[in-house]
Amino acid sequence: MTSKNLIITFTRNPELGKVKTRLAKTIGDASALAIYKKLLEHTQSVLHDLNCDKAVYYSVKIRDNDIWDNAIYQKHQQFGGDLGIRMQNAFKAGFEAGYNKIIIVGSDLYDLQPKHINQAFKALDSNSITIGPAEDGGYYLLGMKTLHKAVFENKNWGTETVFEDTIKNLKNESVFLLEQLNDVDTYDDIKNNQTLKALIKS
């Protein structure tokens, strides 16, 4: 541990037919994989220079020779029955390791910038929770100083009610909201992004 702050990102192993399946229905598996790889590269570039410790949680298998430099990123495997339990386990491990502030971000946000994560860490000085709401009704960032288990329970993950239900769980806590961003799940999410559209294979 070199910092008391930890940033975590959850990734899916970039394999054909297993990533961005909703997007793939419109543009095909190969194009969806190319776009997801681009999103992973963007996420890595956003996290790389942040002044905190960094961890990557893989969906299936930990990879050594990939874009996540072993010298910079702690590497773990996600475990748990659903996304909520997997996130809870990652936060729990971080707090048990001695971190004071932990933030988790997704790996499918082309709009994510270092400023969002720095703002989230700073907000935790005076708030107990930081959330970055996503346009689809979920959230792209979650930060906390202690484990709030209710946040991870009884959610319909991947639906438009996740953010709203999470806020209800936190009505007695001080919550700081970041700006809303768009995460990439469907073609509508990339139709105005020329960089990502250029990766669609004809």
Side-chain angles (χ1 to χ4, degrees), residues 102-152:
I102 301 175
I103 289 173
I104 192 167
V105 290
S107 55
D108 53 3
L109 292 131
Y110 198 71
D111 296 334
L112 186 70
Q113 299 297 330
K115 67 179 182 181
H116 297 114
I117 296 163
N118 288 327
Q119 184 182 19
F121 274 128
K122 190 170 192 325
L124 287 173
D125 288 341
S126 51
N127 298 273
S128 52
I129 303 276
T130 317
I131 301 178
E135 291 179 5
D136 63 5
Y139 54 79
Y140 64 86
L141 179 151
L142 176 67
M144 51 181 71
K145 293 183 287 193
T146 57
L147 191 63
H148 295 266
K149 288 187 176 181
V151 168
F152 305 108

Side-chain angles (χ1 to χ4, degrees), residues 150-166:
V151 168
F152 305 108
E153 299 169 347
N154 303 313
K155 304 289 185 302
N156 293 314
W157 300 104
T159 71
E160 69 279 358
T161 64
V162 171
F163 171 72
E164 184 181 328
D165 290 342
T166 302

Side-chain angles (χ1 to χ4, degrees), residues 166-182:
T166 302
I167 291 296
K168 287 177 184 173
N169 291 143
L170 298 170
K171 60 181 182 291
N172 297 321
E173 303 291 340
S174 55
V175 180
F176 182 88
L177 297 182
L178 299 165
E179 69 172 312
Q180 189 178 71
L181 295 182
N182 174 44

Side-chain angles (χ1 to χ4, degrees), residues 70-86:
N70 288 35
I72 297 173
Y73 298 94
Q74 304 167 20
K75 295 188 172 186
H76 306 278
Q77 188 159 337
Q78 300 170 28
F79 71 97
D82 65 20
L83 177 61
I85 299 303
R86 294 195 295 273

Side-chain angles (χ1 to χ4, degrees), residues 186-197:
T186 67
Y187 182 74
D188 278 351
D189 297 325
I190 68 164
K191 65 183 180 183
N192 297 319
N193 186 310
Q194 299 309 314
T195 302
L196 296 181
K197 281 178 66 179

